[in-house]
Amino acid sequence: MATSAAPPAVDGSERVRGDQWHLGFLRTAEAHEISQGEGIVVAVPDTGVEAHPDLEKNLLPGTDVITGGSGDGLRDMNSHGTGMAGLIAAHGRGGTRGALGVAPKSKILPIFDTPTNGLGQPDDLAASVEYAIAKHVDVISISAASTPTPRLQSAIRAALEANIVVVAAVGNLPSETSISYPASEQGVVAVGGADRQGDKAEFSVEGTDVDLLAPAVDIYTTSLAGRYRRSSGTSDATAIVAGAAALIRSKYPNLPAQEVAHRLTATAVDKGPPGRDDQYGYGVIDLVAALTADVPPLGFESSNVTPPASAEAAPDKGDSAGTIRGLATLGVLVAAGGGYLFWRRRRRADDPPPRVSR
């Protein structure tokens, strides 16, 4: 089950970087010598994004698809959207002060589609995805569990066809017991959660659609009023993978979204039973390997033809410690996860009111 602690009563910028254990786990300092996400736009449909001091330079004006916002997506009364955006693109305050994102030179397109109570509507999420497609974003990060309405399914599939990397969270127990939508959509990278040891977090949903795990326990990131939040859930893991996709898209600007997803899964560190499994998917994300390993293009594993030499298909030689296994069958990345934000099934008249896990 996702948990979250209230933001501290003090600024916290002097110590929060040390609390961001996932940065060391991911070897972000080494990854940032290769790519920092320059030139990449990540759409974050969520509760809006506040202009936190550690993040504000990387915020673009976005939009509201529901009433109650500021009109540009830059208002957040919940903190979930601001937290997810910070995990992707926080730039800190210089030196080691403040929070740092996985892709600190990428840009965030904020989309306000969920009210303060964290309960949104599937077709509002669909409208967010449609807006992101129209704005030609590179990655969509959706930290939510939804119902696959016809409009939402159409929007997600259109994003995949538009060469957008879509990353989505698998969901959190006990709120979800099976892979959430849009993580269950073929072509979307479904992200589960790992703990500090790189083992599957107990709340991370299992299933045949799991593709990849990323840090999801005691994750520190940006919050409201210049403060910080600590939370656990597949929402956080999804935002981290969205940041990783931004790094890859920046380093390999001509690489199709499907190959970006393949690079993430092919270089993941295998855990659990050998090969893909329902707990870990293809494994735990290896950020440096995803940026540097020689990864054959999709389908090459089943052929005897030498792949053509190209700057996009054959990255610079470097750390290839990530395990290259079978081909990934996924395409674009949509970040959807548990935590605060959930799209719930429309309830029958005799159902209890929907509940949000915080």
Side-chain angles (χ1 to χ4, degrees):
M1 181 176 178
T3 60
S4 180
V10 295
D11 174 283
S13 64
E14 295 290 351
R15 71 179 202 46
V16 71
R17 187 75 59 86
D19 291 326
Q20 291 189 291
W21 68 268
H22 67 279
L23 297 179
F25 180 91
L26 295 168
R27 292 186 292 159
T28 52
E30 188 175 348
H32 289 168
E33 294 178 0
I34 303 164
S35 174
Q36 295 190 32
E38 298 92 332
I40 301 302
V41 176
V42 181
V44 178
D46 211 299
T47 60
V49 178
E50 187 175 288
H52 191 284
D54 296 355
L55 177 64
E56 59 186 349
K57 295 177 184 177
N58 288 338
L59 292 180
L60 302 173
T63 194
D64 301 347
V65 300
I66 60 173
T67 59
S70 55
D72 55 7
L74 294 171
R75 181 186 181 191
D76 182 5
M77 301 294 289
N78 179 293
S79 87
H80 188 271
T82 302
M84 299 307 102
L87 288 172
I88 298 166
H91 48 66
R93 307 190 192 185
T96 58
R97 291 189 62 210
L100 188 68
V102 173
K105 291 188 178 179
S106 64
K107 301 296 183 183
I108 296 294
L109 183 72
I111 306 172
F112 172 54
D113 64 5
T114 305
T116 302
N117 66 3
L119 290 173
Q121 297 297 322
D123 285 353
D124 293 333
L125 176 57
S128 295
V129 174
E130 292 161 358
Y131 177 80
I133 295 170
K135 290 297 182 179
H136 307 289
V137 303
D138 304 286
V139 180
I140 303 176
S141 180
I142 305 174
S143 289
S146 182
T147 301
T149 64
R151 182 179 176 185
L152 180 55
Q153 288 178 307
S154 177
I156 294 297
R157 291 165 186 171
L160 298 173
E161 292 173 1
N163 194 35
I164 297 173
V165 181
V166 184
V167 186
V170 298
N172 304 323
L173 297 169
S175 299
E176 285 77 45
T177 57
S178 60
I179 306 299
S180 304
Y181 194 85
S184 60
E185 176 71 50
Q186 185 172 357
V188 170
V189 173
V191 181
D195 62 20
R196 290 173 180 258
Q197 288 71 46
D199 297 325
K200 188 188 83 68
E202 60 181 11
F203 54 75
S204 188
V205 172
E206 302 175 12
T208 57
D209 292 315
V210 178
D211 299 312
L212 187 69
L213 265 58
V217 174
D218 294 334
I219 304 298
Y220 282 80
T221 182
T222 47
S223 186
L224 306 181
R227 297 178 179 179
Y228 300 91
R229 51 173 274 165
R230 175 176 60 86
S231 59
S232 296
T234 53
S235 281
D236 304 86
T238 298
I240 287 169
V241 172
L247 296 183
I248 295 170
R249 297 219 88 168
S250 180
K251 179 171 173 56
Y252 305 106
N254 298 321
L255 197 67
Q258 187 178 28
E259 294 289 350
V260 174
H262 174 50
R263 177 167 282 276
L264 284 166
T265 56
T267 58
V269 178
D270 198 4
K271 301 275 285 190
R276 200 220 152 268
D277 63 79
D278 289 354
Q279 288 189 313
Y280 289 90
Y282 291 93
V284 178
I285 187 171
D286 186 329
L287 204 57
V288 175
L291 289 168
T292 60
D294 291 326
V295 179
L298 277 167
F300 172 69
E301 294 90 338
S302 60
S303 75
N304 294 318
V305 180
T306 301
S310 101
E312 302 304 334
D316 297 338
K317 299 286 185 180
D319 181 356
S320 57
T323 304
I324 311 296
R325 295 182 311 283
L327 62 96
T329 57
L330 305 167
V332 187
L333 295 155
V334 176
Y340 287 87
L341 184 61
F342 294 93
W343 273 262
R344 295 297 189 193
R345 286 186 176 83
R346 294 183 184 277
R347 58 193 177 94
R348 299 187 302 275
D350 57 346
D351 283 343
R355 177 179 61 86
V356 68
S357 177
R358 296 179 180 271

